[in-house]
Each structure stands twice: as C-alpha cells, then as structure tokens.
Amino acid sequence: GAVVSQHPSRVICKSGTSVKIECRSLDFQATTMFWYRQFPKQSLMLMATSNEGSKATYEQGVEKDKFLINHASLTLSTLTVTSAHPEDSSFYICSAKDRTEETQYFGPGTRLLVL
Amino acid sequence: AQSVTQLDSQVPVFEEAPVELRCNYSSSVSVYLFWYVQYPNQGLQLLLKYLSGSTLVKGINGFEAEFNKSQTSFHLRKPSVHISDTAEYFCAVSQVGGNEKLTFGTGTRLTIIP
C-alpha cells in the first residue's frame, strides 16, 4: 500500500515552453501533497504544500507564478513549470500524506531537462 | 523550527559488516522521526519511522533505529549490509501536531565495498 506515482519520469523541453508533472496517490486518499526539488548530490528542498481544494502554500523564494500547483482531487496534484528555462532543470519529487497517517510517501521523481 | 544533522556525508562499509548512520535533531517541540532511502534516479522510500511507543523501531530491509530523546538522536543501524544497500539515506523530522512539513538532513551516502 501507500504507492505514489509521478508522470512523466523524464522530460526534455525547449526553453520557454511549459511542462506539467502529475503526482497521484494510487491506493490512498491524500489530503496533503508536497512538491520538492532536488539538485545533484543534495537534499530535498520543499517548494510548496498543496491541500485538496485550496491554494498551495509556497515556501519562501519559490515563485508561485512560475511553479503552478493544482490539487484538484484527493488523489491528484499537478505541478506546471511555466516558461521553463535551463536553470529550472532539476529532479522534481512529490509526496503525499495519507489522511490517517503521519507519514509522507514519495513518488519516483521527474527528471526535467530544459534546453 | 527544527533542524536535522547528519554528520557523515559518506560512509564506506565492507559487505556483511555492520553499519550505523547517525542522525541528530533539534526541536523545541515533540517530533516524529523518519529514515528514507533513495536509490539513484529514484524517489524516496520509507525505511522506518518513530511516531510513539517503543523507542526501538524496526524497518524494511533489516534496518532498525533507536529514538534517544535525551540525546536527541535517531541513529540507523543494520547488523550486516549487502551490496544492494548502496544508496543515499535521509533522516527527517516533522512536528507533532504541526504543519506536516518534513525537515530533512543533508543525507548520508552509504557505499558497500565488496
């Protein structure tokens, strides 16, 4: 149980385009989902927290107009990187928190490369 | 606010030897504690967690950790490691009754030497 999926696993796009990443909790309902960014050989940096049906809460320094987050249902959250630039290239990981547990379960991550 | 310290950035260990990965935390309130493992180019997998109760917690893949409140530590141990244990290990905490956010340590790279 407690499986979280992400799609796509890898994406390459041209500078200036937008990219959408999906995060799904497959076998549980997630009232809260989190989006992280991870640079090579570093720890995870929390970007934002999204609660189903409400606006996401962004961490300091994260541009909410650039990283659009939607949490439309209890099993799906999306992160859209708008007008992507090479500096947005990174590994993006989502996590979902089961409403009955004090535990975050992580997706497999999405590798984004902006050319 | 809380913080997590993983003093060892890299730990090389011979196959079948025991290992301990250290984690210390700082918090003004009670915390939940977690260990996650990350294999190359993958997300994080939960190894074990301490929420309450027995301070010795057993997880997957033969790992265990002990919560020591007086020393504010949550060290991860395995009595005999395998090549497949080569990965990055992250310790994390969240506040009891808090905003559900996880605070991560900087990670420890465990390398198993054949």
Side-chain angles (χ1 to χ4, degrees):
Chain A
V3 179
V4 177
S5 70
Q6 270 183 255
H7 178 80
S9 58
R10 303 174 68 90
V11 57
I12 302 174
C13 69
K14 292 182 180 180
S15 186
T17 61
S18 294
V19 175
K20 179 185 283 189
I21 303 170
E22 291 187 351
C23 177
R24 295 182 184 271
S25 57
L26 298 184
D27 52 1
F28 66 97
Q29 293 186 326
T31 50
T32 308
M33 287 184 169
F34 303 84
W35 287 95
Y36 296 84
R37 185 172 177 176
Q38 186 179 33
F39 293 100
K41 300 187 185 302
Q42 294 189 27
S43 189
L44 280 71
M45 181 190 79
L46 179 65
M47 299 174 66
T49 303
S50 77
N51 292 291
E52 184 264 338
S54 63
K55 289 184 178 180
T57 302
Y58 290 81
E59 295 299 300
Q60 192 172 8
V62 178
E63 299 176 62
K64 61 181 179 182
D65 294 331
K66 180 167 188 61
F67 298 100
L68 300 179
I69 291 172
N70 183 274
H71 192 163
S73 76
L74 284 173
T75 59
L76 173 64
S77 176
T78 60
L79 168 67
T80 301
V81 183
T82 62
S83 186
H85 289 101
E87 57 265 30
D88 299 323
S89 298
S90 193
F91 193 52
Y92 293 87
I93 307 176
C94 74
S95 72
K97 182 179 174 296
D98 188 316
R99 61 167 60 188
T100 64
E101 289 191 58
E102 294 294 339
T103 304
Q104 288 185 31
Y105 295 95
F106 287 79
T110 297
R111 177 78 59 192
L112 170 63
L113 178 60
V114 185
L115 302 176
Chain B
Q2 61 262 18
S3 65
V4 178
T5 302
Q6 292 181 249
L7 285 173
D8 305 306
S9 60
Q10 297 187 63
V11 174
V13 180
F14 285 103
E15 193 174 11
E16 298 183 6
V19 68
E20 179 179 83
L21 304 183
R22 296 181 294 169
C23 173
N24 288 87
Y25 70 92
S26 172
S27 177
S28 57
V29 300
S30 296
V31 295
Y32 300 123
L33 297 132
F34 307 85
W35 274 100
Y36 289 90
V37 60
Q38 184 178 33
Y39 298 103
N41 297 309
Q42 295 187 28
L44 275 65
Q45 181 181 6
L46 180 67
L47 272 179
L48 48 77
K49 60 186 176 184
Y50 172 79
L51 303 181
S52 66
S54 173
T55 56
L56 182 61
V57 180
K58 294 189 183 298
I60 62 171
N61 301 341
F63 284 94
E64 65 178 33
E66 185 156 21
F67 170 50
N68 187 317
K69 190 173 182 179
S70 62
Q71 296 187 6
T72 60
S73 67
F74 191 55
H75 301 332
L76 181 70
R77 296 192 292 260
K78 186 170 182 177
S80 176
V81 295
H82 302 276
I83 291 289
S84 59
D85 293 323
T86 294
E88 191 82 20
Y89 291 78
F90 292 98
C91 181
V93 302
S94 65
Q95 286 188 2
V96 174
N99 57 16
E100 305 175 312
K101 292 182 185 180
L102 280 174
T103 299
F104 283 92
T106 50
T108 297
R109 174 72 181 174
L110 176 62
T111 301
I112 309 302
I113 306 166

